[in-house]
Amino acid sequence: MYRTHDCGELRLGDVSREVTLAGWVQSIRKFGSISFIDLRDRYGITQLLIGEALNEYLTETPLGREFVIQATGIVSERSNKNLQIPTGEIEIKVSRFTILNKSATPPFTIQDDTDGGDDLRMKYRYLDLRRNEVKKNLELRYAVNRAARDYLHQQKFMDIETPFLIKSTPEGARDFVVPSRMNPGQFYALPQSPQTFKQLLMVSGYDRYYQVVKCFRDEDLRADRQPEFTQIDCEMSFIEQDDILRMFEGLIKFIFKQVKGIDYTESVERMSWEDAMWNYGNDKPDIRFDMKITNIKSPLKRNGALEAEGQIIGHANFNVFDQAETILAISIPAAAAWTRKQFDAWTDWVKRPQIGMQGLVYIRYNEDGTIKSSVDKFYNEERLAAIAGFCEAKKGDAILILAGREEKTRKAISELRLEMGEQMGLRNKDEFKLLWVLDFPLFEYSEEDNRWVARHHPFTAPKPDQIAVMINNDPAIRRAEQYLEHPYAGIKANAYDMVLNGNEIGGGSIRIYQRELQEKMFDALGMTREEANHKFGFLLGAFEYGAPPHGGIAFGFDRLCAILGGSESIRDFIAFPKNNSGRDVMLDAPSTIDDKQLNELSIEIKA
Ligand code: ASP
C-alpha cells in the first residue's frame, strides 16, 4: 500500500498513529541535524520531520523539490503550529522513507505566486497543474459540472452524445475540417456546436437532452477565446420561451447554491435587446450598477419613434456635435467635483487606440445648481440644463458626452461606463447579477462577409407574431445590401441570452420546426434551395416527420466557471488550454505531418 492517508487529512486527533503518506516534495528546510519536508499532494501539505538518524541518509541521498517520496512515521503534535493550513498542528516523525521517483529541477516554483511566466507555465502545464491556484480552478470546474448534471438529471434531461466528425456547413464561424482517408478529397468538419443533432433528437422524441460537450470554432482568437471550448448544451420539446427561461435560470441558481453557497432567490430581470442597446450600449449589460446611457441625438429608432433630432442638443456651430451621427451621454454621480485633471484623464482614456474617440465633452451640474461645461462657448446654461435634465442628472453629477459614428460611439461609451463602474468599485466580483436579454434581431448584416446572416443561427424562429411576415412575403431580398433595405430587418428572433455580470454566459432560441419556414429562412439568408438541401437536407427532411415544437440553450461552460471563480480568463479553468494563436505549446500543435500521411489523405501542401 502506497499510503494510508493523504497529505490534507491528518489532525491533532490522529496524534500517535503510525501513517504512511506519499506525495511531492514542496520544500526542504534543514536545521542542524534535523530536516523538515513539506509533502504535497492534491489534498494538501503535511510537514514531515526527519530526525537525526535519517538525516544522514538525506545528506548522502539528496532530495530535491518535486521528488516523489513515500514516508512512514508517527503523527505528532507540532510545537510550532501553523494555523494557516488545516494540517498545521501536526507533523509526521518519519521512521522511514523511500524515494519513489526523482525530479529534475522544475522550471518554475510550484507555488501560488510562482516565478513562471505564462508561456513557461503553458509549456509545462502538467507542472502548473500541481499549483494550488490552478487546482482550485479545476475543482470549481468539476463542481459546476456536477451541479449542472445533478440539476438536469433531476429535471429528466438525458445526456446523449453526438458525433464530432460531421459535415461542414459553414455558418457563423469557420469550421475545423478533418480529411477523410477512406474518402479521398472529402472532409469531415468538427461541430461548432451539436445544434442540428439536438434538434434531430427532439424529432426523435428525446424531449429533454443535454450534453457537456466540446465545440470547435476556427475563429481569430480575440483575447480569451479558445478554438475548442465546452458548452452545457440543452434542448427541450413542447416548450415556450418562458418555460426555457424558468428552467435555465433554475439551473444557474442551482449551480450558484451548490458551488458558491449563494441563495439567488430574486427573479432574474428580463430586458429587451433594444433596451439593452439603448440604455447600456451593448447586448450584455452589467446591471450590478446603474449609470445608464442617454442618446441625446440619434438617428436610431426607438419603439418606432424617432428621437427628435436637434431638440435636445440643438445646433450650435459646434462641428463635433453638429456633424456627429450620434451623441451619447452618461451621467456620473458626484463627479461635478472632479478636478480638471480628472476630466483630462478620462479624455485621454477615450482617446486610447482601443477606444478610438477624438475627445470627450463634459458638463458639471454643480451642487449649487450652476452648470458649467467644456463647451460653454457653444451652449448656454439653459441648453446645458436641458441636456442635464434629459440625462436625469442630479446636482453634483457630471455628464460625460461622446460623439461620432453610431457604432463606434456606442461601443466607446459602453466601455467607458464599464471602466467607470470598475473604478468606482461598483463591479464587485462577489456579487452576481443575472439578466435575460430577449428579442434579438433575427438577422444582421455582416460587414466581413458583405451579406445578411442569422444573428444567432439559421434555426432560430422569429417571434410568433412575425412568423406570418416571413411565410407570406416573398423575399426579394437575396442581394439586399443596405440594412434598411432588407424587408426582414426589423424581425425579432425568439432568442434569449443569459448575461451574468456583463458577460454572455448562455444563449439559445426557440427553433423553427416546420420545413416551410426553415426554407424561408434559408431563402432570406440568400441560400438557393439546392444549397439549402445540400447543407441541411437531413434537417429539412426530418421536419417532415412530425417535428415537435422545441427550443434550447447552450451555456459557455468555461466562461461560467471563470466568472464563478472571479477570474477574467477562461484559460485558467481549462486543464490544457491553447494560447492566443491557437497553439498548444506543450504538445507543439498544430504541427506538420509527414508525406506518408499526406499521401494517404490525398493531400498536397501548396508551397
Ligand atoms: N447552438 C447554439 C450556440 O452554440 C446555442 C443554442 O442555440 O442552443 O450558440
Side-chain angles (χ1 to χ4, degrees):
M1 186 167 51
Y2 274 114
R3 56 183 174 184
T4 56
H5 293 81
D6 64 52
C7 295
E9 70 179 310
L10 296 167
R11 303 283 185 276
L12 275 181
D14 298 302
V15 164
S16 305
R17 290 175 73 171
E18 188 186 67
V19 299
T20 301
L21 301 182
W24 287 262
V25 173
Q26 171 83 32
S27 65
I28 311 164
R29 299 178 303 280
K30 290 201 168 179
F31 286 101
S33 55
I34 59 166
S35 299
F36 292 103
I37 295 175
D38 277 348
L39 192 67
R40 184 195 67 237
D41 67 8
R42 189 184 134 195
Y43 307 93
I45 287 184
T46 298
Q47 176 164 297
L48 308 180
L49 169 61
I50 310 288
E52 233 164 283
L54 280 176
N55 212 29
E56 268 173 38
Y57 170 73
L58 251 192
T59 319
E60 286 159 23
T61 325
L63 206 56
R65 279 194 289 135
E66 301 307 315
F67 274 45
V68 187
I69 66 168
Q70 181 189 40
T72 301
I74 305 290
V75 182
S76 318
E77 182 166 359
R78 258 160 89 163
S79 50
N80 190 3
K81 296 192 169 61
N82 173 2
L83 298 178
Q84 307 297 323
I85 58 170
T87 59
E89 291 185 281
I90 56 103
E91 63 193 0
I92 315 296
K93 288 214 162 89
V94 175
S95 50
R96 57 179 192 278
F97 75 84
T98 313
I99 296 175
L100 298 175
N101 210 346
K102 293 195 287 194
S103 169
T105 306
F108 50 85
T109 55
I110 313 289
Q111 282 169 354
D112 288 358
D113 47 354
T114 176
D115 54 0
D118 243 22
D119 287 347
L120 200 59
R121 289 194 291 114
M122 286 304 146
K123 177 149 187 229
Y124 297 92
R125 184 62 168 171
Y126 48 89
L127 295 180
D128 199 29
L129 289 170
R130 288 185 189 166
R131 291 171 55 235
N132 214 20
E133 281 299 294
V134 191
K135 186 190 73 192
K136 272 195 316 209
N137 293 346
L138 291 190
E139 283 172 349
L140 180 133
R141 184 181 174 104
Y142 179 54
V144 177
N145 190 333
R146 267 186 51 194
R149 289 178 185 280
D150 284 351
Y151 177 86
L152 292 166
H153 178 74
Q154 278 165 23
Q155 300 291 338
K156 297 199 167 68
F157 282 78
M158 217 171 131
D159 177 349
I160 304 175
E161 287 155 88
T162 51
F164 277 174
L165 295 177
I166 66 166
K167 185 184 171 87
S168 180
T169 53
E171 185 56 53
R174 224 170 271 115
D175 283 334
F176 279 104
V177 294
V178 180
S180 165
R181 179 185 54 82
M182 288 190 288
N183 304 276
Q186 298 190 337
F187 294 80
Y188 301 101
L190 301 179
Q192 296 185 22
S193 84
Q195 185 59 37
T196 47
F197 290 102
K198 64 177 176 173
Q199 292 192 242
L200 292 173
L201 287 169
M202 295 304 111
V203 178
S204 310
Y206 297 91
D207 62 351
R208 290 180 174 202
Y209 142 95
Y210 88 98
Q211 206 179 169
V212 180
V213 65
K214 273 288 170 72
C215 301
F216 306 87
R217 295 182 192 174
D218 186 5
E219 293 175 303
D220 292 335
L221 301 176
R222 282 183 270 133
D224 211 27
R225 287 273 182 102
Q226 288 279 309
E228 53 176 308
F229 60 95
T230 307
Q231 286 187 343
I232 305 173
D233 189 46
C234 308
E235 197 77 5
M236 300 172 79
S237 296
F238 306 116
I239 42 79
E240 289 172 346
Q241 176 173 288
D242 196 53
D243 302 308
I244 298 254
L245 302 190
R246 277 186 291 112
M247 174 64 76
F248 292 101
E249 58 193 56
L251 167 68
I252 299 299
K253 287 178 178 182
F254 186 82
I255 291 174
F256 278 161
K257 178 76 190 154
Q258 299 296 308
V259 178
K260 303 289 288 184
I262 295 172
D263 275 310
Y264 197 105
T265 45
E266 60 199 279
S267 58
V268 176
E269 198 181 318
R270 300 178 183 187
M271 187 185 289
S272 73
W273 173 83
E274 244 181 40
D275 278 348
M277 296 302 282
W278 195 265
N279 292 324
Y280 299 93
N282 68 52
D283 58 6
K284 44 180 170 37
D286 185 346
I287 55 164
R288 280 174 298 180
F289 65 105
D290 205 23
M291 290 205 295
K292 293 197 182 76
I293 292 160
T294 310
N295 212 316
I296 54 180
K297 166 192 181 178
S298 173
L300 250 195
K301 276 187 188 160
R302 182 173 208 223
N303 302 329
L306 196 65
E307 287 291 349
E309 188 174 329
Q311 261 184 14
I312 308 304
I313 193 79
H315 280 264
N317 294 326
F318 179 46
N319 273 347
V320 177
F321 280 4
D322 292 349
Q323 287 168 13
E325 190 181 3
T326 196
I327 308 176
L328 300 175
I330 186 166
S331 177
I332 313 293
W338 280 1
T339 59
R340 174 71 195 268
K341 229 171 144 183
Q342 279 172 293
F343 286 109
D344 287 349
W346 281 104
T347 307
D348 289 343
W349 192 87
V350 301
K351 283 177 160 176
R352 295 172 336 147
Q354 303 95 301
I355 306 292
M357 299 306 291
Q358 302 288 338
L360 176 119
V361 166
Y362 60 86
I363 302 174
R364 284 187 166 116
Y365 187 11
N366 298 316
E367 287 290 356
D368 62 8
T370 58
I371 298 194
K372 286 270 166 287
S373 78
S374 56
V375 285
D376 281 352
K377 255 197 281 176
F378 305 101
Y379 297 93
N380 60 23
E381 198 159 332
E382 194 186 334
R383 174 62 69 195
L384 295 173
I387 298 171
F390 193 67
C391 297
E392 293 177 15
K394 295 187 195 56
K395 283 183 188 165
D397 292 357
I399 298 157
L400 306 187
I401 304 174
L402 296 179
R405 302 283 302 167
E406 161 68 31
E407 201 182 321
K408 191 170 179 185
T409 311
R410 191 164 33 70
K411 274 198 186 133
I413 200 142
S414 145
E415 290 296 325
L416 174 73
R417 174 182 177 272
L418 290 174
E419 180 63 21
M420 193 67 72
E422 194 74 51
Q423 294 203 10
M424 293 170 78
L426 303 171
R427 305 184 73 196
N428 177 358
K429 280 197 176 99
D430 298 320
E431 186 193 348
F432 295 100
K433 196 90 184 161
L434 291 166
L435 169 74
W436 285 114
V437 177
L438 309 173
D439 305 343
F440 286 82
L442 190 59
F443 300 96
E444 74 182 359
Y445 193 71
S446 159
E447 299 284 347
E448 194 186 329
D449 299 340
N450 201 19
R451 67 183 182 95
W452 283 83
V453 295
R455 192 169 203 286
H456 187 42
H457 52 56
F459 317 107
T460 294
K463 296 294 285 180
D465 58 346
Q466 287 162 4
I467 289 179
V469 182
M470 283 188 63
I471 294 278
N472 300 331
N473 269 350
D474 193 25
I477 53 173
R478 298 223 169 113
R479 304 284 166 249
E481 255 146 39
Q482 290 300 309
Y483 185 70
L484 294 169
E485 275 175 26
H486 195 300
Y488 295 167
I491 290 192
K492 290 289 189 311
N494 210 345
Y496 30 80
D497 275 0
M498 186 177 255
V499 175
L500 173 57
N501 293 359
N503 301 277
E504 181 202 325
I505 56 164
S509 58
I510 301 298
R511 323 297 184 191
I512 296 170
Y513 64 99
Q514 309 94 328
R515 180 174 183 132
E516 190 190 3
L517 185 56
Q518 189 63 69
E519 283 178 336
K520 288 275 181 186
M521 182 71 190
F522 290 143
D523 284 349
L525 294 171
M527 244 188 244
T528 62
R529 286 286 154 101
E530 296 73 55
E531 231 181 307
N533 267 316
H534 174 69
K535 286 182 177 170
F536 299 112
F538 60 97
L539 189 70
L540 292 169
F543 284 174
E544 289 186 49
Y545 292 93
H550 61 283
I553 191 165
F555 289 92
F557 180 53
D558 311 294
R559 164 109 341 105
L560 178 60
C561 294
I563 300 169
L564 292 174
S567 165
E568 300 280 305
S569 160
I570 64 171
R571 268 211 262 170
D572 297 346
F573 291 79
I574 297 173
F576 296 103
K578 311 242 181 314
N579 74 7
N580 280 347
S581 353
R583 292 201 73 80
D584 184 321
V585 290
M586 182 182 72
L587 301 178
D588 193 21
S591 58
T592 50
I593 55 174
D594 61 36
D595 287 344
K596 179 163 172 284
Q597 282 173 297
L598 285 173
N599 274 336
E600 279 174 351
L601 296 168
S602 319
I603 286 182
E604 218 169 275
I605 303 289
K606 273 201 204 164

